[in-house]
Structure formats: structure tokens, C-alpha cells
Amino acid sequence: MPTNIVCEKTSARLEAAFWSRRAPSPADVTHVASCPSCGGEWEALKAVANSLATSVPPEFAEVRARSIRQVVAREFANSTPPIAVATRRLPIGYGRELARILGWALLPLPIALFAYLQLFQFGAALLGQVLPEWGVVAVGFVAASAAASWLAVVYGSIPLVAYQRLSGFDDAFKTPHEVST
Amino acid sequence: MERVQRGEVRAFDLLFERFRARLFGFLYRRCGDGPVAEDLLQETWLRVVRSRDRYDPQRRFSTWLFQIANNLCRDRGRRLAVERRGKRELTDAMLVEAPTGNPHPVDSRLDMPGLLGRLSDRQREVVVLRYFHDHSERDIARIVGIPPGTVKSRLHQAIRVMREQKAADAD
Ligand SMILES: [Zn+2]
């Protein structure tokens, strides 16, 4: 075992040389030759290296390699396109286009809502003369949900419209794989 | 590998050829059996193909490849150990006199000639990667999934085991 700092450091370097299958540095060779402790260390490591050298893999038959390659190639051809490749990036400038269309679409919204509210109140007053109160409430509810549905459809389609304007309408409805081919 | 991810069969062929000998050598030294190494090689590539979307191009391909291969070897080692333990328990149960003492430890050593066969599975994986494949300790840490310090200590333990074995052989 190493008895002093020099031997300890030499021993660590000998081990490193062993793992990288390199010869020790000339300085370490000199030390090993004159130090029985490090000499013994190096001899033991060389014996281990000689033993490990006998671990040689058998020949990997060409026929077997070809058959493996075929099996894997078949799997390769049959496998679905991987997600990372299939996932299409959004077209360049998509965010800006989306903001632009959204801006234009939001401009008339207060006017439309105001007009609708006026119409709503006018209709309710008119219906109040012929229908009982619960009837007016029911018609009002239907009218309000119809308006909400229209708003959802119109504003919900904006991302799709933005996509279509940048990449062509058909692409938006293809699967990502079809798009990429 | 990025071309393989895009689905180019030719690129896969190139990768297969490039790593063929290295991967086979690794699997053989890990499991000590030629035909088993061939099967594991096929399984490794099948897994590469099936999970190619999970490969991160920022990482080295060889690290990922050896990680998959090493995990397969570990799975096989665990299966073998369980089978062996099962067999031994069966033999013990058949003995008239019940055995005393500790139950048999899970034996991860293989019927493998030479020094590699004397190492535990955990030691052998780092030795094969470091000595025969010249992977750095940092790279081995990524492949095996342990901190670099643990790689260092396992390599150190492995040297001790192998030296003791050589000394015992010499006596
Ligand atoms: Zn010394």
C-alpha cells in the first residue's frame, strides 16, 4: 500500500492509466522502478489488464447481422411517425397574425353588444304584452344563449383563420404527417 | 440520428453499421454469451426505433444507445437472478433437513469465465464502459444513471475485486 503522498498520487495515476489503457508517464515509470510498493501496484494492475484482454467477443456472423437489420428495418417501416417529427410547428408570424385578426374582430364587439341589448329590451317589452312573465324569461334565455353560441363560433374560429391565412387552408385539416410529406 | 427520426431507413443502416461491433462487444462483455448478446442487440435497435421520438438531439447518440442496451442487460440480469433464486428455493424445499442461516443472496454474477464474471452486475457495467469502451466517468454516470462519484467508487471497488481474484488465482 502507498506509504506517502508521492506513492498515493502515483497510485492514483497508475489506476487512471490502467483504465485508459495507457502506459504510465516516464516520471511514474521511474518511480515504479524504484518503489517496491508502487511497483507491486503496477504489476497487479498489469495482471488484471492481461486477464481482461482475454475477454474477446466472438465473431458476429454477417448472416445474423443482416437478419437483425431486416427485422429492425421492418419495424422502422411499420412504426408510426414519431410525435416529435409529426408535431408541426406553427407557421412563422402566427402570433402576430392572430393578434391582428383578434384586434379587428374585437373592434365592433361593443357596438354589436350594445345593439343586441337594445334589441333584446325592445323584444322583451313587446313580448311582455302578449306573454306571461315566465314566457318572456324563457325566450330571453334562448336568445341570450344563441348570441353566446355565435360569439363562441366567431371568436373561436379566429386561431384557425389565422393559421389558414399563413399556411393555406387545406394544411390545417391534414394530419401533421401528411403535412410534412 | 435526426435523419433516422425523420424516417430515413438509409440513415438507420449507417447507424447500425457504425455501432455494430461496439454494441455487440459491449453486450457480450456485459452478459457473457454470444447468442444472448445478438438477441439483445436486436432488442436494443428495436427500442431505438420505437422510441426515436424521445431521443434528444442535444445529447450524444452513443450515450442514449448504450443506456438502452445497458438497461436491457440489467433486466436480463434481474430475471436470471430471480430464476436462480426460484430454483434454489425449490431445491431447498425438497431437502429433508431445512437449511439454516441466511437466505441465499441474489446472485448477479454470471457463469462467465474470466475476471468480468467475478464482478457484480453493477461493477461490471462500469468496468465494461470504462475499460473496453473508453467512456468518461461523466458519460458512464449518464448511461448508468448514477452520480459520477459513484462511478468512481464502483470502478475502484471493481479493481480491488479483480486484483484479489488475480492474487487468489496465483496462490
Ligand atoms: Zn511509490
Side-chain angles (χ1 to χ4, degrees):
Chain A
M1 289 307 280
T3 48
N4 59 44
I5 298 290
V6 176
C7 290
E8 231 169 80
K9 286 188 172 169
T10 307
S11 169
R13 282 195 300 270
L14 291 177
E15 206 175 301
F18 162 82
W19 286 120
S20 356
R21 301 205 272 177
R22 278 187 286 105
S25 69
D28 286 339
V29 171
T30 312
H31 177 83
V32 161
S34 61
C35 169
S37 165
C38 293
E41 290 263 317
W42 185 237
E43 283 309 311
L45 289 175
K46 275 202 297 192
V48 170
N50 287 339
S51 250
L52 289 177
T54 62
S55 167
V56 180
E59 206 200 331
F60 186 13
E62 186 55 45
V63 184
R64 181 75 175 113
R66 210 178 309 135
S67 102
I68 291 176
R69 213 165 40 209
Q70 277 168 359
V71 170
V72 181
R74 211 175 307 132
E75 175 76 19
F76 193 56
N78 292 341
S79 58
T80 49
I83 298 160
V85 177
T87 308
R88 183 107 195 267
R89 296 248 165 90
L90 289 167
I92 297 161
Y94 179 76
R96 215 178 323 126
E97 181 67 9
L98 183 66
R100 200 178 67 84
I101 298 178
L102 206 61
W104 279 110
L106 284 173
L107 268 184
L109 188 65
I111 301 161
L113 281 179
F114 180 75
Y116 193 77
L117 204 67
Q118 294 298 310
L119 192 71
F120 197 80
Q121 280 172 343
F122 176 72
L126 212 64
L127 284 172
Q129 291 172 10
V130 286
L131 288 178
E133 200 187 330
W134 62 265
V136 176
V137 170
V139 172
F141 181 75
V142 170
S145 42
S149 304
W150 271 108
L151 285 175
V153 168
V154 169
Y155 287 94
S157 67
I158 287 176
L160 196 67
V161 171
Y163 186 91
Q164 169 254 317
R165 285 178 62 86
L166 290 169
S167 59
F169 196 68
D170 287 351
D171 279 1
F173 292 96
K174 280 180 182 170
T175 64
H177 181 55
E178 283 172 325
V179 172
S180 64
T181 49
Chain B
M1 184 58 198
E2 285 173 62
R3 283 171 57 202
V4 172
Q5 283 187 309
R6 286 201 297 269
E8 289 183 34
V9 180
R10 176 89 195 102
F12 160 72
D13 272 344
L14 287 173
L15 267 187
F16 183 92
E17 277 310 312
R18 204 166 115 201
F19 286 97
R20 180 173 136 174
R22 264 160 78 184
L23 189 58
F24 179 67
F26 170 73
L27 290 165
Y28 172 75
R29 291 187 178 106
R30 279 289 274 114
C31 67
D33 186 311
V36 171
E38 289 173 0
D39 291 347
L40 290 176
L41 185 127
Q42 175 172 312
E43 191 52 36
T44 302
W45 282 109
L46 284 174
R47 290 204 182 184
V48 166
V49 165
R50 284 175 197 146
S51 54
R52 63 190 191 270
D53 57 317
R54 269 182 267 151
Y55 169 68
D56 173 8
Q58 308 290 320
R59 291 178 58 194
R60 273 175 65 190
F61 174 71
S62 62
T63 305
W64 190 59
L65 180 72
F66 280 87
Q67 198 175 24
I68 293 174
N70 191 53
N71 285 342
L72 285 170
C73 294
R74 278 182 172 188
D75 291 348
R76 179 178 172 273
R78 271 195 289 265
R79 259 197 326 272
L80 279 182
V82 170
E83 275 170 26
R84 281 178 192 181
R85 197 167 47 190
K87 268 185 205 157
R88 265 197 304 247
E89 276 165 9
L90 197 67
T91 320
D92 290 348
M94 288 192 302
L95 292 174
V96 181
E97 230 174 300
T100 52
N102 295 328
H104 296 288
V106 175
D107 189 3
S108 60
R109 284 159 183 80
L110 301 169
D111 302 321
M112 190 174 179
L115 282 184
L116 287 177
R118 303 311 308 160
L119 298 173
S120 72
D121 200 53
R122 291 285 177 265
Q123 290 165 344
R124 191 167 43 247
E125 62 189 2
V126 293
V127 167
V128 172
L129 286 166
R130 182 74 194 90
Y131 190 81
F132 293 100
H133 295 273
D134 214 25
H135 282 277
S136 67
E137 284 170 7
R138 187 176 284 271
D139 209 20
I140 297 171
R142 286 194 202 103
I143 293 172
V144 177
I146 52 175
T150 312
V151 174
K152 205 183 264 291
S153 66
R154 279 193 194 163
L155 288 172
H156 200 71
Q157 283 164 12
I159 280 207
R160 215 185 53 226
V161 171
M162 292 190 289
R163 279 179 60 170
E164 281 167 8
Q165 186 60 37
K166 282 307 288 178
D169 290 349
D171 288 344

